[in-house]
Amino acid sequence: MTTAADIMHPGAQWIPAHETLDRAAELMARLNVGALPISDSEERLCGIITDRDIVVNCVAKGLDPSKMTCGDMAKGTPRWIDAGADVSAVLDEMESHQIKRLPVIKDKKLVGMISEADLAQHLSEDQLAGFVEKVYARR
């Protein structure tokens, strides 16, 4: 059985909800990633911030990324997967919520992230095609 831990990119980092969007962008650049899980004061997942969120929901609206926090952008229920979950559960979670990145949690701690690139390396062509069709479909 292939698990979330088998296909994830290990070593993901949180960004605290109180950090500003410019700091999030700096961390994304340093880590060469396009998304960061957002943690609350108790290191629980409270959202995900993406580079696109910063551009579309802050910069393009004329807002100051040094004044907005990651917590300001954390909306909705954050999605995640347990490290021991089967790859079919990973696909179901990502497809049903049309998300492209999924934090991986083990014993209530962030241990990695699964992105489209990780899926591309570990799925069959048919599985990958099904994922793309469901995630990018207009609802």
Side-chain angles (χ1 to χ4, degrees):
M1 172 177 89
T2 302
T3 66
D6 296 329
I7 64 172
M8 73 180 187
H9 181 84
Q13 279 191 293
W14 297 111
I15 187 147
H18 68 270
E19 285 289 352
T20 58
L21 298 183
D22 61 338
R23 300 280 296 155
E26 290 169 7
L27 183 56
M28 286 180 200
R30 190 171 72 238
L31 298 174
N32 194 30
V33 297
L36 294 168
I38 303 169
S39 68
D40 66 13
S41 60
E42 296 177 24
E43 289 200 352
R44 291 180 307 205
L45 181 67
C46 65
I48 293 179
I49 185 78
T50 67
D51 48 7
R52 187 175 194 283
D53 292 331
I54 295 169
V55 171
V56 172
N57 297 318
C58 179
V59 176
K61 292 181 178 177
L63 302 172
D64 185 348
S66 68
K67 303 244 185 305
M68 288 190 72
T69 68
C70 293
D72 293 334
M73 301 295 262
K75 295 182 172 75
T77 303
R79 309 308 309 177
W80 58 275
I81 196 85
D82 184 85
D86 184 75
V87 72
S88 62
V90 170
L91 288 173
D92 183 55
E93 185 70 18
M94 294 176 81
E95 291 170 356
S96 64
H97 297 283
Q98 291 188 304
I99 55 177
K100 300 169 191 126
R101 298 171 181 103
L102 188 63
V104 180
I105 307 291
K106 181 177 182 179
D107 300 324
K108 298 183 182 180
K109 299 287 182 197
L110 177 69
V111 294
M113 288 279 282
I114 297 174
S115 69
E116 294 169 297
D118 299 313
L119 295 177
Q121 292 176 0
H122 293 91
L123 299 180
S124 71
E125 285 184 27
D126 288 343
Q127 287 175 307
L128 192 57
F131 169 80
V132 168
E133 181 179 326
K134 290 175 184 161
V135 169
Y136 288 96
R138 299 237 185 243
R139 288 189 182 181

